[in-house]
Every structure is written in C-alpha cells, then in structure tokens.
Amino acid sequence: KSKGKGKGKGKRAPGLKSEFWEKKVADENRTELGDVAYPGVVQTYSFQRGWGFIKADNFAGLPAQAKKKIAESEAAVEAAGKDVKEKGLLYFRKPDVNHVEGFKLGRDCPVTFTVYVDDKGAGACNVSMVQ
C-alpha cells in the first residue's frame, strides 16, 4: 500500500538524550584526538536528520590521523563511482553540538570543534558557537 504524497514526512532525528546516539558512538569505536578547539564553518546541517558537515578554516592544521581518515573516506566514495562535491569536510551529529540558548546551526555558521576518528572516518565533536 502506497503512503501517497506525504510519505516519509514527520520522521525526525532521535532526541538529544536518546540511547540511539550513545549506541552509534559505541558501535563505531570513536576516539577523540586531543582537546584542541579548531575554528571552522558549518557547510551543511540537516535539522530533520540530525547531522551535517563542517569545513575547517585550516585543513592543514588538523591532526594527521584525521586528515588520513578523511582522505580514505573520500577515496572510498570516489571508488564507488560517486563525486566528492567538496573535499576536507568533517561529519558531525546532533549530540556532538554543545547546545546553548540562541545557537542555531546553519550554513556558514562560524563554530569551533574538536576532532575524532572512528571506524567510518573522521568527524567533529564538541561543536560550539563562536562568541
């Protein structure tokens, strides 16, 4: 039976304190690479899905381990026959953001973040607004 025009509507990312996010982190063997806060800007963010990408202001200044994981991820995408529209982006999820009143994520929003690596590649965590 078809769901019609509205199919898929109403699905949102799990809540911030959901066990879903904790399970994801545990399953992917996340390792944070120090506590240095890097500056960058939000490239994209999907509120409905609860994830996005950050572009570091200085990609060369990121930890070597993170740059290697990003390069591996991009190579895997290209090997699958897809185009990498923009290189050097770090993935982040809803719980990786330090939610403070008035902080709205959106394209070109300046942020600071720390870096992690996991089984899927490299990402940003502790994402905070620039004050």
Side-chain angles (χ1 to χ4, degrees):
K1 180 176 173 181
S2 175
K3 292 185 179 184
K5 282 186 175 179
K7 80 175 188 182
K9 287 188 177 180
K11 291 187 180 189
R12 298 213 182 276
L16 193 55
K17 305 225 186 277
S18 171
E19 289 180 21
F20 171 82
W21 298 117
E22 292 172 23
K23 186 173 176 358
K24 291 282 278 183
V25 170
D27 289 349
E28 294 169 358
N29 300 311
R30 182 183 287 197
T31 304
E32 290 190 29
L33 302 178
D35 56 1
V36 175
Y38 299 94
V41 293
V42 174
Q43 196 65 23
T44 58
Y45 180 67
S46 171
F47 174 78
Q48 198 166 26
R49 293 189 177 114
W51 56 264
F53 290 96
I54 292 176
K55 182 175 183 76
D57 287 352
N58 179 13
F59 180 78
L62 294 178
Q65 199 176 353
K67 291 188 286 190
K68 181 181 177 199
K69 284 281 198 175
I70 292 168
E72 289 171 0
S73 297
E74 291 170 352
V77 168
E78 289 172 340
K82 298 178 183 175
D83 289 332
V84 176
K85 293 178 182 166
E86 189 156 355
K87 295 189 179 239
L89 298 179
L90 291 158
Y91 176 79
F92 72 97
R93 295 184 188 129
K94 184 178 185 175
D96 293 325
V97 177
N98 294 324
H99 295 271
V100 243
E101 192 171 331
F103 183 28
K104 300 236 187 237
L105 285 172
R107 187 168 178 79
D108 297 327
C109 177
V111 294
T112 59
F113 59 92
T114 57
V115 178
Y116 71 84
V117 293
D118 63 17
D119 295 343
K120 292 187 173 186
C125 55
N126 301 314
V127 178
S128 300
M129 69 178 175
V130 174
Q131 296 180 348

